[in-house]
Amino acid sequence: MKCFSRYLPYLFRPPNTILSSSCHTEADIISTVEFNSTGELLATGDKGGRVVVFQREQESKNQPHRRGEYNVYSTFQSHEPEFDYLKSLEIEEKINKIRWLPQQNAAYFLLSTNDKTVKLWKISERDKRPEGYNLKDEDGRIRDPTTITALRVPVLRPMDLMVEATPRRVFSNGHTYHINSISINSDYETYMSTDDLRINLWNLEITNRSFNIVDIKPTNMEELTEVITAAEFHPHQCNTFVYSSSKGSIRLCDMRAAALCDSHSKFFEEPEDPSNRSFFSEIISSISDVKFSHSGRYLMTRDYLTIKVWDLNMENKPLETYQVHDYLRSKLCSLYENDCIFDKFECVWNGSDSVIMTGSYNNFFRMFDRNTKRDVTLEASRENSKPRAVLKPRKVCVGGKRRKDEISVDSLDFSKKILHTAWHPNENIIAVAATNNLYIFQDKVN
């Protein structure tokens, strides 16, 4: 897997965060990462409710190698902490997901959500300001109409470039439980928001009404056996979506079949091997992320120990299964005690659907080449983040004699975890969130 062991890192850190990774505050921890459809912009959300947007450097003839670098473009506070007085419940400001809308004009639009409220933001540039108002003076104060004796024609004067983020829509009161995912439909008019028990369909223009398309809440909550963990629209078919559950199953639904998609069109689940059954089986089989391939032919799911690729035409078993960190199987007891077993790792496809990536512990992240079946483990750390340095593959040693370049499974740091990653839609550029640091790596071949 030649190209992926030669990634060049660029280390970025959102503004207002403390440089030393050991001294970060809880609010600085990055909670989502997302490229826009062209890859020119990259957005991160954090636990403090902030969104930081990075923009890619334009290529210059003098410095062609700087093309891959991303610099801070805009920073804004997306969500604030709230309090639900009816339920005596604090609502965190943490950004759970960000999704970009396709660019239609000079402005950019993105959806961001915390546990309860989805917001549509417009990010636009301004390099001119109007001057010469008739009813206002230069400071913006309303003039006395009796003093206006002549008619002026307002003119636009150049000013320093300013990037503004303004909230265009606020979609609230749609969910009783915590929102875990949002997905924009290929019709670009609707999107869905998903919580533990329900999926709602929204029109991007209408904030006071949504349609409930999935509801798995039982009449008696004591009979509840599973929750929804993630959902996503098909990239090309606006009527099709999937959602995953805590029991390790995936349901594909067709909105043409019924208004309420409680009965699925396809059901993907791999039967469990009885010989592998243990106390932790149900916990580690819970799916934390589900993603359609760009082609729309395949589904990728991430559970605690594996990534699976499913063919939409084959429901009974996955097409491919990749072990992410099988060496942790012997550590499940201690991972349960420190709550790490409930970590929700995400997974991403590269632009051509040939390579998949996901995170692990100790700031490791894994890549799997679907064609050659080769895989590599890389590390996002500040020690190896010097610009233009080459990342070296890492290996974890399970037992016996440890080689010089290997790390023992007993010395892995479980507080350092890569939960959120993103892949540029067209190029081999990846973004990896490690606690409060954002690492951007670019393939050297480019």
Side-chain angles (χ1 to χ4, degrees):
M1 190 128 170
K2 220 156 137 193
C3 63
F4 296 115
S5 57
R6 297 212 306 259
Y7 265 84
L8 300 176
Y10 301 104
L11 170 62
F12 290 95
R13 191 171 293 101
N16 308 324
T17 61
I18 298 161
L19 294 186
S20 168
S21 56
S22 59
C23 302
H24 65 267
T25 65
E26 183 78 7
D28 297 327
I29 295 173
I30 297 172
S31 53
T32 184
V33 186
E34 189 78 12
F35 279 103
N36 74 338
S37 57
T38 61
E40 292 302 302
L41 296 180
L42 171 69
T44 67
D46 65 23
K47 287 192 172 183
R50 289 177 304 233
V51 172
V52 181
V53 179
F54 299 88
Q55 185 180 45
R56 196 174 184 193
E57 284 263 336
Q58 295 302 311
E59 190 167 359
S60 66
K61 290 177 183 174
N62 306 335
Q63 297 173 303
H65 67 272
R66 284 179 63 87
R67 171 73 179 120
E69 293 194 12
Y70 285 77
N71 294 316
V72 175
Y73 178 63
S74 175
T75 306
F76 58 94
Q77 188 72 31
S78 174
H79 286 71
E80 302 280 357
E82 297 173 52
F83 191 79
D84 186 336
Y85 289 96
L86 290 174
K87 295 179 181 167
S88 296
L89 190 71
E90 282 184 28
I91 301 166
E92 285 185 356
E93 65 272 38
K94 174 193 164 197
I95 307 293
N96 291 341
K97 283 285 185 290
I98 288 173
R99 289 289 179 264
W100 289 92
L101 273 70
Q103 193 177 359
Q104 308 287 345
N105 50 36
Y108 303 98
F109 289 87
L110 62 82
L111 286 172
S112 64
T113 184
N114 67 347
D115 284 342
K116 297 289 182 187
T117 306
V118 184
K119 293 184 180 181
L120 175 67
W121 289 89
K122 177 186 179 182
I123 301 167
S124 54
E125 295 181 355
R126 207 169 63 171
D127 59 358
K128 292 183 176 66
R129 68 169 184 271
E131 282 183 7
Y133 288 104
N134 286 292
L135 301 177
K136 289 191 285 190
D137 61 22
E138 299 308 326
D139 296 327
R141 290 189 296 264
I142 301 293
R143 293 168 66 189
D144 181 357
T146 57
T147 64
I148 301 171
T149 55
L151 199 62
R152 294 193 291 180
V153 178
V155 290
L156 292 172
R157 303 265 185 230
M159 59 178 273
D160 291 338
L161 181 68
M162 194 164 79
V163 181
E164 292 179 316
T166 49
R168 298 307 301 269
R169 310 259 189 286
V170 177
F171 306 88
S172 54
N173 304 321
H175 289 273
T176 311
Y177 307 98
H178 291 177
I179 298 171
N180 55 46
S181 55
I182 49 175
S183 178
I184 294 167
N185 201 345
S186 58
D187 63 8
Y188 306 138
E189 291 181 8
T190 56
Y191 76 92
M192 65 179 175
S193 55
T194 308
D195 67 27
D196 295 341
L197 299 178
R198 296 189 179 103
I199 301 176
N200 290 342
L201 182 71
W202 300 81
N203 187 300
L204 284 162
E205 301 293 325
I206 302 167
T207 59
N208 61 354
R209 186 173 70 245
S210 64
F211 298 95
N212 181 221
I213 52 174
V214 171
D215 187 348
I216 65 164
K217 184 181 179 182
T219 315
N220 180 6
M221 281 295 272
E222 288 178 5
E223 296 168 8
L224 182 68
T225 56
E226 64 180 331
V227 294
I228 301 169
T229 54
E232 187 173 71
F233 269 120
H234 191 281
H236 313 302
Q237 298 166 10
C238 61
N239 53 284
T240 308
F241 68 93
V242 294
Y243 68 91
S244 58
S245 88
S246 56
K247 276 194 164 178
S249 58
I250 311 111
R251 292 168 174 85
L252 183 126
C253 303
D254 189 335
M255 290 193 290
R256 296 172 302 184
L260 194 62
C261 302
D262 287 353
S263 55
H264 47 267
S265 304
K266 292 190 175 183
F267 183 76
F268 302 86
E269 188 176 46
E270 186 175 27
E272 191 191 2
D273 182 353
S275 61
N276 287 341
R277 179 131 191 97
S278 72
F279 170 76
F280 305 108
S281 294
E282 199 166 305
I283 302 172
I284 63 172
S285 67
S286 175
I287 294 172
S288 55
D289 196 16
V290 59
K291 293 270 170 66
F292 274 106
S293 63
H294 295 87
S295 67
R297 170 73 190 269
Y298 303 103
L299 266 178
M300 171 169 57
T301 59
R302 170 74 208 259
D303 58 42
Y304 191 67
L305 294 177
T306 65
I307 276 192
K308 291 171 183 168
V309 175
W310 302 78
D311 189 321
L312 288 191
N313 299 327
M314 188 168 76
E315 299 171 55
N316 60 335
K317 63 175 183 178
L319 196 65
E320 301 153 21
T321 300
Y322 301 97
Q323 300 295 335
V324 178
H325 37 217
D326 203 45
Y327 46 77
L328 295 182
R329 222 172 260 281
S330 60
K331 300 271 175 200
L332 292 178
C333 201
S334 55
L335 289 163
Y336 177 77
E337 286 169 4
N338 64 15
D339 280 352
C340 283
I341 203 167
F342 302 107
D343 285 334
K344 292 175 169 50
F345 291 96
E346 295 173 8
C347 52
V348 287
W349 301 87
N350 73 337
S352 61
D353 299 334
S354 60
V355 182
I356 54 183
M357 174 173 66
T358 191
S360 181
Y361 293 103
N362 209 68
N363 279 358
F364 288 168
F365 58 98
R366 304 267 284 136
M367 290 180 174
F368 303 91
D369 190 313
R370 297 181 58 215
N371 299 325
T372 63
K373 303 302 177 195
R374 295 174 71 184
D375 62 89
V376 68
T377 303
L378 300 172
E379 183 182 9
S381 73
R382 300 182 62 187
E383 286 70 46
N384 60 17
S385 64
K386 295 181 180 70
R388 325 237 50 90
V390 177
L391 286 187
K392 293 188 178 74
R394 301 298 306 265
K395 281 197 172 68
V396 177
C397 156
V398 180
K401 200 171 179 185
R402 184 168 66 88
R403 290 187 190 153
K404 185 185 172 187
D405 57 342
E406 290 182 336
I407 181 168
S408 165
V409 69
D410 295 318
S411 52
L412 293 174
D413 187 345
F414 293 112
S415 65
K416 293 179 178 176
K417 53 191 91 167
I418 305 280
L419 300 177
H420 315 286
T421 56
W423 203 309
H424 189 288
N426 310 313
E427 299 177 39
N428 276 340
I429 296 175
I430 56 172
V432 175
T435 322
N436 65 323
N437 294 325
L438 176 69
Y439 296 84
I440 298 177
F441 300 104
Q442 181 181 13
D443 188 355
K444 192 177 180 181
V445 180
N446 287 353

